[in-house]
Amino acid sequence: MSWFEKLLKTYGYDSLAHIGESLAPSFKYTGYTVGTTMISAISVSIDRIFGLDAYAFFAFLLVLFTELISGITASRVRKEELSSMKLSRFLFKVFYYLVLIAVPYLFAISFKDHSKDMAAVVFDWMHVFLVVQIVLENMISILENMAVISGKPKTHIINKLTTKIENLLK
């Protein structure tokens, strides 16, 4: 018996794995641990890169997915053929949206950490503006798709919303 095995036995452990389980009991349930660890790591990365918590980022992805599904459905209603070109254009759009969200946030954090407050404020404002604008654009696209799906002109729902907002503001 090695000195390490003797040391383990003095603490009541049979193996290194048992020490691991005592320090982190969730390791006994590896199916859950791996999943939750991945979710935690991804959530931290999302917050650090995009400046959005996991819930906001999930909502953003939900808006993008809804736009994709509603766009596919609307194109079927219009009897347009689906193509890989349109899907690749959507994926490219998602990529550049993520870049447009990440870059100003990362610059704002960097300038803030270097006590460049004026630049940090500018990039922080730009980050918020771009997130709002991107989500707004996608929601408008979803509403246009919903109008087409329901057999109305593309601008039908947007015009109704605009009218309601204008009436509220009067």
Side-chain angles (χ1 to χ4, degrees):
M1 186 180 287
S2 73
W3 69 270
F4 187 70
E5 289 172 327
K6 287 180 187 175
L7 180 65
L8 287 176
K9 296 247 183 248
T10 61
Y11 288 106
Y13 298 114
D14 296 329
S15 68
L16 194 56
H18 287 134
I19 290 176
E21 287 177 357
S22 76
L23 294 173
S26 64
F27 286 160
K28 290 185 258 183
Y29 314 101
T30 55
Y32 299 113
T33 303
V34 171
T36 57
T37 301
M38 293 291 289
I39 290 170
S40 295
I42 290 169
S43 295
V44 168
S45 298
I46 287 169
D47 193 14
R48 184 68 181 132
I49 294 170
F50 300 106
L52 303 170
D53 65 20
Y55 298 118
F57 193 76
F58 177 75
F60 177 67
L61 293 180
L62 187 63
V63 165
L64 292 174
F65 180 74
T66 303
E67 185 199 4
L68 176 64
I69 298 303
S70 68
I72 290 170
T73 306
S75 70
R76 285 188 178 165
V77 167
R78 289 188 300 256
K79 297 183 181 8
E80 295 175 355
E81 191 174 317
L82 294 177
S83 69
S84 60
M85 179 61 85
K86 286 183 181 180
L87 180 61
S88 65
R89 190 174 66 205
F90 174 79
L91 293 175
F92 180 70
K93 185 169 68 169
V94 169
F95 170 76
Y96 77 74
Y97 282 163
L98 293 174
V99 169
L100 285 172
I101 291 170
V103 169
Y105 177 73
L106 294 172
F107 272 73
I109 294 301
S110 178
F111 283 123
K112 197 176 298 175
D113 289 347
H114 291 92
S115 299
K116 309 278 191 216
D117 296 331
M118 180 62 126
V121 167
V122 169
F123 280 102
D124 190 45
W125 178 89
M126 188 183 300
H127 171 255
V128 173
F129 174 81
L130 287 170
V131 169
V132 170
Q133 188 64 33
I134 289 166
V135 171
L136 179 64
E137 293 295 336
N138 281 278
M139 291 180 73
I140 288 171
S141 178
I142 291 167
L143 292 173
E144 288 175 343
N145 291 335
M146 297 306 291
V148 169
I149 292 166
S150 64
K152 297 190 171 46
K154 191 175 190 176
T155 58
H156 177 76
I157 296 173
I158 302 298
N159 289 340
K160 282 197 163 284
L161 277 173
T162 304
T163 302
K164 287 195 182 274
I165 292 170
E166 287 171 353
N167 288 339
L168 264 172
L169 297 175
K170 285 183 183 177

